[in-house]
Amino acid sequence: MVKAGIIGATGYAGQELVRLLLGHREVEIAWYGSRSYVDEKFASVFGNYVKLVDDICKGDDLEQLAEEADVIFTATPQGYLAGILTESVLEKAKVIDLSADYRIKDVSKYEKWYGIEHKSPGLVAEAVYGLCEINRESIKKARLIANPGCYPTCSTLSIAPLAKRGWIDMDTLIIDAKSGTSGAGRGAKVQNLFCEVNENIKAYGVASHRHTPEIEDQLSYISGKEVVINFTPHLIPMNRGILVTAYAKVVGEHSADELKQAYNEDYEDEYFVRVLEGTTPPETKWVEGSNYVDVNIKYDPRTNRVIMMGAMDNITKGAAGQAVQNMNLMFGFDEQEGLRLVPMVP
Amino acid sequence: MVKAGIIGATGYAGQELVRLLLGHREVEIAWYGSRSYVDEKFASVFGNYVKLVDDICKGDDLEQLAEEADVIFTATPQGYLAGILTESVLEKAKVIDLSADYRIKDVSKYEKWYGIEHKSPGLVAEAVYGLCEINRESIKKARLIANPGCYPTCSTLSIAPLAKRGWIDMDTLIIDAKSGTSGAGRGAKVQNLFCEVNENIKAYGVASHRHTPEIEDQLSYISGKEVVINFTPHLIPMNRGILVTAYAKVVGEHSADELKQAYNEDYEDEYFVRVLEGTTPPETKWVEGSNYVDVNIKYDPRTNRVIMMGAMDNITKGAAGQAVQNMNLMFGFDEQEGLRLVPMVP
Amino acid sequence: MVKAGIIGATGYAGQELVRLLLGHREVEIAWYGSRSYVDEKFASVFGNYVKLVDDICKGDDLEQLAEEADVIFTATPQGYLAGILTESVLEKAKVIDLSADYRIKDVSKYEKWYGIEHKSPGLVAEAVYGLCEINRESIKKARLIANPGCYPTCSTLSIAPLAKRGWIDMDTLIIDAKSGTSGAGRGAKVQNLFCEVNENIKAYGVASHRHTPEIEDQLSYISGKEVVINFTPHLIPMNRGILVTAYAKVVGEHSADELKQAYNEDYEDEYFVRVLEGTTPPETKWVEGSNYVDVNIKYDPRTNRVIMMGAMDNITKGAAGQAVQNMNLMFGFDEQEGLRLVPMVP
Amino acid sequence: MVKAGIIGATGYAGQELVRLLLGHREVEIAWYGSRSYVDEKFASVFGNYVKLVDDICKGDDLEQLAEEADVIFTATPQGYLAGILTESVLEKAKVIDLSADYRIKDVSKYEKWYGIEHKSPGLVAEAVYGLCEINRESIKKARLIANPGCYPTCSTLSIAPLAKRGWIDMDTLIIDAKSGTSGAGRGAKVQNLFCEVNENIKAYGVASHRHTPEIEDQLSYISGKEVVINFTPHLIPMNRGILVTAYAKVVGEHSADELKQAYNEDYEDEYFVRVLEGTTPPETKWVEGSNYVDVNIKYDPRTNRVIMMGAMDNITKGAAGQAVQNMNLMFGFDEQEGLRLVPMVP
């Protein structure tokens, strides 16, 4: 059995890792790390794990953890891992980082958007961006994975087939995204209280959200052009789920069927991407609790734009599920192991 | 006291008219029309009106109603009023129609988008589009008001200042909108059940929603150009509220301040439009239960696009509140009478 | 115009006071007190007040406030007012306290259930318990009002008619209550985050909730017996609303009609209490945003128990609305002034 | 592989059976029965099953189904199965009925509470009440299982340890229950629309809910006395989850520890019942999507009552999960097979 350690196990993504790894046949969890709850029972923080997890929360001694674990998941605040990760750790254990620390290759761009000095810029080049459907082969050989952000995962997979083919004008691309509140984390903030979020919707981070450069980078790699976009996330009164609605002008002559065919081709063999039939719009409910991304498009001949839509569980495929998928690739496990989750309705 | 009649009083917009008119000092409700609940107590359908309304629901005899009322509100399905409205009715009472029947001047366009034959095309030309902030003077003289749709109201007011000045490229305009579920009406449909809507988000009517030509018409009048847009509404798990996020390229050289100034100028004297400070994004919660529209913009120099945002209560300013505002104008009442509602938080 | 000051204006109950007082024809707000937001614009904390309130938040200097205001509302944490209230303040201004500090006549009982030392026990005797429907005449003459808790208000009004007549066995009384989350306040606590409350229900304070002795006191006064009860509150994923379901054995022979008649008699002239028809169960939605309490009962001949039910908005009649009702009585205003709020649906 | 057929596969409980059986290693689904959607793709009704289920919905020909399946699950309206079930069917396939048709041994009691004539009273005696933790051995030998109702499952398991020991006075027992809206089914009814349920709570079926005699029967068997109770269910604005709060007087001298010990003893070996530590109240969120029932109690010395609490997912342990658990027992599978579901948070 591969031994896994989690730093940040009592955040929403961290505890979702626990849910997934408990159902994984090749892995056992050796370390539940949580600075806020050291020495407390993990199951007393998250009551869903009563009778399933007896462990006590430990701290964040990364060097020690690397001695005890084969793989380390870090679900930690931005800048945290960059401050403590060392070559010595990477020699002992594979690291899958759910924060943004190693996602952006241009360190100065990272520092500008995040307002943080990067403490281990020397490790950035090595890190592999863990979007499995795009970078599968590199992931298999990686020691350090930059697990993608939730919005970038859903956005990139929704847009990639047309961006890759050069069938959309990337200068016209606009991404309007909507996320459930678990994406805001488990910190005690007034703005995330039930009464502030419930019966409300708002945009946030307008023209300034930190996932913007990450999305731009990925779409630039895919399209072979420098991409600059508008990206607007919105906070939705629900726990889980991300919906992306993206707009772009079609370049050249492409019928609605031809555009759709690009998705069917690219995702034919991808277990975790479901191209919906006809023009059925994706719904977050259909993927809740699973590692699926549902995508579909609608071509509008009136404006010659294509509307690209994707739905995903932000905590699963958008965080912990994709992290497990990355681990499966890195360790040569079946890519679907632990992730054959049927979405839960209602 | 002016006597008001309501056809469709037991829908969500209809009963909101009751809420507003009960607080109006110049009006009394003389007719609670509801085909589904004829002869039942209105307060047994909507328990919030216990002890406030003792009336029994009546039918939809428009000619009779015109004898008894000075103003008639119709909150009825598309095509219904067009099928029964006559010159004789309009001679006796003013009519404010909350359906779409008289909103679109080009009858063939109406028939195409709604898939309905228009039964009284001869009355379309006379109808005034009741967007008070735009058509105030015409409304004052009107007999028949086409009360605007919820999405068109919020979209038009969010975009008008820049469209009017020619400062945005209307060919690049995209409107991504989000609505609470009351917008879907009170019909018993599986797709609107609690368990289907809750913890879910989806786009609907993609590139085909019926409010598209209405928005295009209004923005065409305002900008003086033929406007064709992408408009995508989304269903949100909340009762009330509409949020509009619109995107367009800026034409010419205009600073963020200059763009913002257009809103401050246009809405300085508009009681029901609140231009928020700085770049604070509007939130639907801040307008809930009131007749306000909150608007704001953010200019993005990276893309030279402006993001225009508006938040509104879809049942109030997006339906019943605007209808009362129209009535106030038509009868020479204070425009704010019955509408000085403080938004309810939380 | 009477001048009102609010200490704790940026809590949920405090800002609801603002909503109500803005619609009150005899009062103007002279002091928005909020320690957390001193020198910030009130409308920047609660965006619903943009264009309605231009004031800046002030501190909690009670002596100074008493110079400037005729009536002071305190929506503050338990123990706070008791620590600063003086005879000097009461000589200058009437005080309506929304906290629990003066609700329980037996100071040792207060100190035991709240775990706080009472700092001004000498003022407890003078304070009048502001349950308007029960203590109307005393309230009119009071300087200091202990504004009732939300659960006690709804519980007492739901049970009083039968308790008063001795028609139920008070030893069998059980109160099972359910509250929206605004009752938990606006403090930044993990347990009140959206993702913790949404899609969840739990009991809390089982056999230990602080409103227990307050309910027992009131029912003891009304029934003339020492009452000891079980009271179990539950947290519900909604913003506003309290529902009380109470159970007791019927004493003697009383038909369902006779039991119901007690409610009709007692509340016939009470504007803010609505006895529903037949056995229709109250729903919190029917009272949302209003000062109404809806009550009804169902007699079960199989068990000889009566189920007493009440629904109320916890922020309005359960806090700010009742405070305004108390003010109206104290200043000789129409008791309904500022409180003729039509419940908002949906 | 055992072949399973489902009648009523497109209801909430029916499709949950699909979710669970897809993860079961000994079973395959051979028949997706749904009268409303015959000849439609199952995955076009429930989009969560895209790429997981390719089957087309079939009708409800029970005789034919019995030829093709080893076990038949019926998630159908009350009275439906009783009208079509025959000895011939039972000879060919085991039947697990999720409706109430065979739960109550006294047919006249069934007919009175349900207002339906029972069409196959001769089969009632044979049916085994499928509450696995109570009737495990009988279930193993059964051909026909009456799968328990959601409220009766949660109520019985929460109360059984004290009822069995005679430590509570059954005449004082009151059950106040709260359920998510999926319990109301997927029928298109106005009262279950999002806008009617959201931001609302109400009691329903007060002193008349059909689960009352079922709970009374089970508690009568367990306690050895004729039990008559008050049972009040409430509708909660959430999708899944049932919470039971039950009250009874303690008989004799029993410390809080002794009462708690009864639960620890009885449920020590029960995988699906979790007795929480200390007096931690159960929360529905901690069991969501799983087959667990979380129970706990609090003794109140002031009133000598014990408050017994249970939380459960109404669709899983309260319907489909328990049905699968019954199947596991009937076919000699591991009782936990297909049911090792980790509750999903948030």
Side-chain angles (χ1 to χ4, degrees):
Chain A
M1 295 287 270
V2 160
K3 289 201 158 84
I6 304 169
I7 307 276
T10 54
Y12 290 137
Q15 66 85 35
E16 176 83 346
L17 277 167
V18 176
R19 182 172 81 97
L20 301 179
L21 293 176
L22 288 179
H24 197 292
R25 283 176 292 191
E26 313 278 359
V27 180
E28 63 184 17
I29 305 176
W31 184 294
Y32 294 81
S34 172
R35 271 196 296 185
S36 313
Y37 297 99
V38 171
D39 292 338
E40 289 188 47
K41 279 191 71 168
F42 181 74
S44 74
V45 182
F46 281 100
N48 45 331
Y49 295 107
V50 166
K51 268 177 86 166
L52 289 166
V53 176
D54 278 332
D55 296 63
I56 302 296
C57 292
K58 299 179 185 173
D60 52 3
D61 182 339
L62 196 62
E63 295 287 344
Q64 180 62 33
L65 171 50
E67 299 284 347
E68 301 184 19
D70 304 301
V71 58
I72 298 170
F73 297 93
T74 49
T76 44
Q78 316 308 336
Y80 180 81
L81 182 62
I84 59 170
L85 185 59
T86 60
E87 175 64 26
S88 148
V89 166
L90 286 171
E91 279 166 12
K92 291 181 232 155
K94 294 180 194 292
V95 174
I96 299 172
D97 178 28
L98 282 73
S99 87
D101 286 1
Y102 300 99
R103 292 180 193 158
I104 295 176
K105 292 301 175 193
D106 178 342
V107 171
S108 66
K109 195 192 285 185
Y110 169 90
E111 293 185 334
K112 181 182 145 209
W113 285 83
Y114 284 85
I116 302 174
E117 184 193 353
H118 201 295
K119 296 293 178 56
S120 52
L123 293 171
V124 172
E126 174 183 355
V128 173
Y129 189 76
L131 189 48
C132 308
E133 286 74 13
I134 305 290
N135 298 327
R136 186 169 283 117
E137 295 313 312
S138 316
I139 292 165
K140 289 179 181 172
K141 294 170 285 189
R143 294 193 304 174
L144 172 58
I145 292 289
N147 204 60
C150 50
Y151 288 122
T153 295
C154 197
S155 299
T156 305
L157 293 174
S158 300
I159 297 163
L162 299 185
K164 188 175 75 174
R165 286 168 177 78
W167 290 359
I168 50 174
D169 178 353
M170 301 304 283
D171 291 337
T172 66
L173 182 64
I174 287 167
I175 301 175
D176 192 286
K178 299 90 180 167
S179 174
T181 305
S182 57
R186 202 167 174 252
K189 296 178 184 166
V190 167
Q191 74 220 47
N192 295 332
L193 290 175
F194 182 83
C195 289
E196 306 287 314
V197 172
N198 189 41
E199 292 297 291
N200 194 14
I201 177 172
K202 64 174 173 185
Y204 65 99
V206 182
S208 62
H209 192 277
R210 293 164 166 192
H211 282 176
T212 308
E214 185 181 338
I215 299 171
E216 290 176 345
D217 277 4
Q218 297 309 313
L219 291 177
S220 295
Y221 301 147
I222 288 169
S223 67
K225 294 183 182 172
E226 183 83 3
V227 174
V228 181
I229 61 166
N230 274 110
F231 166 67
T232 314
H234 298 77
L235 188 67
I236 305 296
M238 59 184 194
N239 286 359
R240 287 171 173 246
I242 272 188
L243 187 75
V244 158
T245 313
Y247 305 83
K249 286 277 184 186
V250 173
V251 172
E253 294 284 324
H254 301 286
S255 70
D257 282 353
E258 196 182 354
L259 296 170
K260 181 70 179 282
Q261 189 55 24
Y263 287 79
N264 286 331
E265 277 174 31
D266 284 11
Y267 295 133
E268 191 170 27
D269 297 327
E270 290 296 343
Y271 180 79
F272 293 117
V273 183
R274 305 192 297 192
V275 182
L276 301 188
E277 295 193 351
T279 58
T280 306
E283 308 188 22
T284 58
K285 193 70 194 171
W286 300 138
V287 296
E288 190 174 341
S290 82
N291 204 48
Y292 289 118
V293 183
D294 283 3
V295 296
N296 211 348
I297 61 168
K298 177 85 180 274
Y299 174 69
D300 185 358
R302 300 170 71 250
T303 59
N304 193 35
R305 283 198 197 95
V306 60
I307 298 101
M308 298 158 281
M309 296 167 281
M312 186 189 80
D313 188 317
N314 60 308
I315 297 287
T316 317
K317 179 65 176 173
Q322 184 144 262
V324 171
Q325 194 180 350
N326 275 305
M327 179 191 71
N328 287 342
L329 291 170
M330 295 165 91
F331 284 83
F333 304 146
D334 180 341
E335 189 172 335
Q336 302 167 24
E337 175 55 31
L339 297 173
R340 289 181 206 92
L341 303 153
V342 182
M344 193 172 82
V345 169
Chain B
M1 294 288 270
V2 161
K3 289 202 159 80
I6 304 169
I7 308 275
T10 54
Y12 291 136
Q15 67 85 34
E16 176 84 346
L17 276 167
V18 176
R19 181 172 81 98
L20 301 179
L21 294 176
L22 288 179
H24 197 290
R25 284 176 292 194
E26 313 278 0
V27 180
E28 63 185 16
I29 305 175
W31 184 293
Y32 293 80
S34 171
R35 271 196 296 185
S36 313
Y37 297 99
V38 170
D39 292 338
E40 290 188 47
K41 280 190 72 167
F42 181 74
S44 73
V45 182
F46 282 100
N48 46 329
Y49 295 107
V50 167
K51 269 175 86 166
L52 289 166
V53 176
D54 278 332
D55 295 63
I56 303 296
C57 292
K58 299 180 186 173
D60 52 3
D61 183 339
L62 196 63
E63 295 287 344
Q64 181 61 33
L65 171 50
E67 299 284 347
E68 300 184 20
D70 305 300
V71 59
I72 298 171
F73 296 93
T74 50
T76 44
Q78 316 307 336
Y80 181 81
L81 182 62
I84 60 171
L85 186 60
T86 61
E87 176 62 28
S88 147
V89 167
L90 286 171
E91 279 166 11
K92 289 180 232 154
K94 296 181 194 290
V95 174
I96 300 172
D97 177 28
L98 281 73
S99 87
D101 286 2
Y102 300 99
R103 292 179 194 159
I104 294 176
K105 292 301 175 193
D106 179 341
V107 171
S108 66
K109 194 192 285 185
Y110 169 91
E111 294 185 333
K112 181 181 147 209
W113 284 83
Y114 284 86
I116 302 174
E117 184 193 354
H118 201 296
K119 296 294 179 55
S120 52
L123 294 172
V124 173
E126 174 183 355
V128 173
Y129 189 76
L131 188 47
C132 307
E133 285 74 13
I134 305 289
N135 298 327
R136 185 169 283 118
E137 294 312 312
S138 316
I139 292 165
K140 289 179 181 172
K141 295 170 284 187
R143 294 192 304 173
L144 171 59
I145 292 288
N147 205 61
C150 50
Y151 289 122
T153 296
C154 197
S155 299
T156 305
L157 293 173
S158 299
I159 297 164
L162 299 185
K164 188 175 76 175
R165 286 167 176 78
W167 289 1
I168 50 174
D169 178 352
M170 300 305 282
D171 291 337
T172 66
L173 182 64
I174 287 168
I175 301 175
D176 191 287
K178 299 89 180 168
S179 174
T181 305
S182 57
R186 201 167 175 251
K189 295 177 184 169
V190 167
Q191 75 221 46
N192 295 332
L193 291 175
F194 181 84
C195 289
E196 307 286 316
V197 172
N198 188 40
E199 292 296 292
N200 195 13
I201 177 172
K202 63 175 175 185
Y204 66 98
V206 182
S208 62
H209 192 277
R210 293 164 167 192
H211 282 175
T212 309
E214 185 180 338
I215 298 170
E216 290 177 344
D217 277 5
Q218 297 309 313
L219 292 177
S220 296
Y221 301 147
I222 288 169
S223 67
K225 294 182 183 173
E226 184 82 2
V227 174
V228 182
I229 60 166
N230 274 111
F231 166 66
T232 314
H234 298 76
L235 188 67
I236 305 296
M238 59 184 193
N239 286 359
R240 287 170 174 248
I242 272 189
L243 186 76
V244 158
T245 314
Y247 305 84
K249 287 276 184 187
V250 173
V251 172
E253 295 283 324
H254 301 287
S255 70
D257 282 354
E258 196 182 354
L259 296 169
K260 180 70 179 282
Q261 189 55 24
Y263 286 79
N264 287 330
E265 276 175 32
D266 285 11
Y267 295 133
E268 190 171 27
D269 297 327
E270 290 296 344
Y271 179 80
F272 293 118
V273 184
R274 306 192 295 191
V275 182
L276 301 188
E277 295 194 352
T279 58
T280 305
E283 307 188 21
T284 58
K285 193 68 194 172
W286 300 139
V287 296
E288 190 175 340
S290 82
N291 204 48
Y292 289 118
V293 183
D294 282 4
V295 297
N296 210 349
I297 61 168
K298 177 85 181 274
Y299 174 68
D300 184 359
R302 298 170 71 250
T303 60
N304 193 35
R305 284 198 197 93
V306 61
I307 298 102
M308 298 158 281
M309 297 167 282
M312 185 189 80
D313 188 316
N314 60 306
I315 297 288
T316 316
K317 179 64 175 173
Q322 185 144 262
V324 171
Q325 194 180 349
N326 274 307
M327 179 192 70
N328 287 343
L329 291 170
M330 294 165 91
F331 284 84
F333 304 145
D334 180 341
E335 189 172 337
Q336 302 167 23
E337 175 55 31
L339 296 173
R340 289 181 207 93
L341 303 153
V342 182
M344 194 172 81
V345 170
Chain C
M1 295 286 271
V2 160
K3 289 203 160 81
I6 304 169
I7 307 276
T10 54
Y12 290 135
Q15 66 85 34
E16 176 83 346
L17 277 166
V18 176
R19 181 173 81 98
L20 302 179
L21 294 176
L22 287 179
H24 196 291
R25 283 176 292 194
E26 313 278 0
V27 180
E28 63 184 17
I29 305 175
W31 185 294
Y32 294 81
S34 171
R35 272 196 296 183
S36 313
Y37 297 98
V38 170
D39 292 339
E40 289 188 46
K41 280 192 70 168
F42 181 73
S44 73
V45 183
F46 281 100
N48 46 330
Y49 294 107
V50 167
K51 270 176 84 167
L52 289 166
V53 176
D54 279 333
D55 296 63
I56 303 295
C57 291
K58 299 179 185 173
D60 53 2
D61 181 339
L62 197 62
E63 295 287 345
Q64 179 61 32
L65 171 49
E67 298 285 346
E68 301 185 18
D70 305 300
V71 58
I72 298 170
F73 296 93
T74 49
T76 43
Q78 316 307 336
Y80 180 81
L81 183 62
I84 60 171
L85 186 60
T86 61
E87 176 62 27
S88 148
V89 167
L90 286 171
E91 278 167 11
K92 290 181 233 155
K94 296 180 194 290
V95 174
I96 300 172
D97 177 29
L98 281 74
S99 86
D101 286 1
Y102 301 99
R103 292 179 194 159
I104 294 176
K105 292 301 176 195
D106 178 342
V107 172
S108 66
K109 194 191 285 185
Y110 169 91
E111 294 185 332
K112 181 180 147 210
W113 284 83
Y114 285 85
I116 302 174
E117 183 193 355
H118 201 296
K119 296 293 179 54
S120 53
L123 293 172
V124 172
E126 172 182 357
V128 173
Y129 189 76
L131 188 48
C132 308
E133 285 74 13
I134 305 290
N135 299 327
R136 185 170 283 118
E137 295 312 312
S138 316
I139 292 164
K140 289 179 180 173
K141 295 170 285 189
R143 293 193 305 173
L144 172 59
I145 292 289
N147 204 61
C150 50
Y151 289 122
T153 295
C154 197
S155 299
T156 305
L157 292 174
S158 300
I159 297 163
L162 299 185
K164 187 176 77 175
R165 285 168 177 78
W167 290 0
I168 50 175
D169 178 353
M170 300 305 282
D171 291 337
T172 66
L173 182 64
I174 287 168
I175 301 175
D176 191 286
K178 298 90 180 168
S179 174
T181 305
S182 57
R186 202 168 175 252
K189 295 177 185 168
V190 167
Q191 75 222 45
N192 294 333
L193 290 175
F194 182 84
C195 289
E196 307 287 315
V197 172
N198 188 41
E199 292 295 293
N200 195 14
I201 178 172
K202 63 176 175 184
Y204 65 99
V206 182
S208 62
H209 193 276
R210 293 164 166 191
H211 283 175
T212 309
E214 184 180 338
I215 299 170
E216 290 177 345
D217 277 5
Q218 297 309 313
L219 292 177
S220 295
Y221 301 146
I222 288 168
S223 67
K225 294 182 183 173
E226 183 82 2
V227 174
V228 181
I229 61 167
N230 273 112
F231 166 67
T232 314
H234 298 77
L235 188 67
I236 305 296
M238 59 184 193
N239 285 0
R240 287 171 174 247
I242 272 188
L243 187 75
V244 158
T245 314
Y247 304 84
K249 286 278 185 186
V250 172
V251 172
E253 295 283 324
H254 301 286
S255 70
D257 282 353
E258 196 181 355
L259 296 169
K260 180 70 178 282
Q261 189 54 26
Y263 287 79
N264 287 331
E265 277 175 31
D266 284 12
Y267 294 133
E268 190 170 28
D269 297 328
E270 290 296 343
Y271 180 80
F272 293 118
V273 183
R274 305 192 295 192
V275 182
L276 301 188
E277 295 193 352
T279 57
T280 305
E283 308 188 21
T284 58
K285 193 70 193 170
W286 300 138
V287 296
E288 189 174 342
S290 82
N291 204 48
Y292 290 117
V293 183
D294 282 3
V295 297
N296 211 349
I297 61 168
K298 177 85 181 272
Y299 174 69
D300 185 359
R302 298 170 70 250
T303 60
N304 194 35
R305 284 197 196 94
V306 61
I307 298 103
M308 299 159 279
M309 295 167 283
M312 184 189 81
D313 188 318
N314 60 307
I315 298 287
T316 317
K317 179 64 174 173
Q322 186 145 261
V324 170
Q325 194 180 350
N326 274 306
M327 178 192 72
N328 286 342
L329 291 170
M330 294 165 91
F331 284 83
F333 303 144
D334 180 341
E335 188 172 337
Q336 302 168 23
E337 175 56 31
L339 296 173
R340 289 180 208 93
L341 304 153
V342 182
M344 193 172 80
V345 169
Chain D
M1 295 287 271
V2 161
K3 289 203 159 80
I6 304 170
I7 307 276
T10 54
Y12 290 136
Q15 66 85 34
E16 176 83 345
L17 276 168
V18 176
R19 181 172 81 98
L20 301 179
L21 294 176
L22 287 180
H24 197 291
R25 284 176 292 193
E26 313 277 0
V27 180
E28 63 184 18
I29 305 176
W31 185 293
Y32 294 81
S34 171
R35 270 196 298 185
S36 312
Y37 297 98
V38 170
D39 292 339
E40 290 188 46
K41 280 191 72 168
F42 181 73
S44 73
V45 183
F46 281 100
N48 46 330
Y49 295 107
V50 166
K51 270 176 85 168
L52 289 166
V53 176
D54 278 332
D55 296 63
I56 302 296
C57 292
K58 298 179 185 173
D60 53 2
D61 182 338
L62 197 62
E63 296 287 344
Q64 180 61 33
L65 171 50
E67 299 285 346
E68 301 184 19
D70 305 300
V71 58
I72 298 170
F73 296 93
T74 49
T76 44
Q78 316 307 338
Y80 180 81
L81 182 62
I84 59 170
L85 185 60
T86 61
E87 175 63 26
S88 148
V89 167
L90 286 171
E91 279 167 11
K92 289 181 232 155
K94 295 180 194 292
V95 174
I96 300 172
D97 178 28
L98 281 73
S99 87
D101 286 1
Y102 300 99
R103 292 179 192 157
I104 294 176
K105 292 300 176 194
D106 179 341
V107 171
S108 66
K109 194 192 285 185
Y110 169 90
E111 293 185 334
K112 181 181 148 210
W113 284 83
Y114 284 86
I116 302 174
E117 184 193 354
H118 202 295
K119 295 295 178 54
S120 52
L123 293 172
V124 172
E126 173 183 354
V128 173
Y129 188 76
L131 188 47
C132 308
E133 286 74 13
I134 306 290
N135 298 328
R136 186 169 284 116
E137 295 312 313
S138 315
I139 292 164
K140 289 180 181 172
K141 294 170 285 189
R143 292 193 306 173
L144 172 58
I145 292 288
N147 204 61
C150 50
Y151 289 122
T153 295
C154 197
S155 299
T156 305
L157 292 174
S158 299
I159 297 163
L162 299 186
K164 188 175 77 175
R165 286 168 176 78
W167 290 0
I168 51 175
D169 179 353
M170 300 304 283
D171 290 337
T172 66
L173 182 64
I174 287 167
I175 300 175
D176 191 285
K178 299 89 179 168
S179 174
T181 304
S182 58
R186 200 166 176 254
K189 295 178 185 168
V190 167
Q191 75 221 46
N192 295 332
L193 290 175
F194 182 84
C195 289
E196 307 287 315
V197 172
N198 189 41
E199 292 296 292
N200 195 14
I201 178 172
K202 64 174 174 186
Y204 65 99
V206 182
S208 62
H209 192 278
R210 293 164 166 192
H211 282 175
T212 309
E214 185 181 337
I215 299 170
E216 290 176 345
D217 277 4
Q218 297 309 313
L219 292 177
S220 295
Y221 302 146
I222 288 167
S223 67
K225 293 182 181 173
E226 183 83 3
V227 174
V228 181
I229 61 167
N230 274 109
F231 166 67
T232 314
H234 298 76
L235 188 67
I236 305 296
M238 59 184 192
N239 286 358
R240 286 171 174 247
I242 273 189
L243 187 75
V244 157
T245 314
Y247 305 83
K249 286 278 186 187
V250 172
V251 172
E253 294 283 323
H254 301 286
S255 70
D257 282 352
E258 196 181 354
L259 296 169
K260 181 70 178 282
Q261 189 54 26
Y263 287 78
N264 287 330
E265 277 174 32
D266 285 11
Y267 295 132
E268 189 170 28
D269 298 326
E270 290 296 344
Y271 180 80
F272 293 116
V273 183
R274 304 191 297 191
V275 182
L276 301 188
E277 295 193 352
T279 57
T280 305
E283 308 188 21
T284 59
K285 193 69 194 170
W286 300 138
V287 296
E288 190 175 339
S290 82
N291 204 48
Y292 290 118
V293 183
D294 282 3
V295 297
N296 210 349
I297 61 168
K298 177 86 182 273
Y299 174 68
D300 185 358
R302 298 170 71 250
T303 59
N304 194 34
R305 283 197 197 95
V306 60
I307 297 103
M308 297 158 281
M309 296 167 282
M312 185 188 80
D313 188 317
N314 60 308
I315 298 287
T316 318
K317 180 65 175 172
Q322 185 144 262
V324 171
Q325 194 180 351
N326 274 306
M327 179 191 71
N328 286 344
L329 290 171
M330 295 164 91
F331 283 83
F333 303 145
D334 179 341
E335 189 173 336
Q336 302 168 24
E337 175 55 31
L339 297 172
R340 289 180 206 93
L341 304 153
V342 182
M344 194 171 81
V345 169

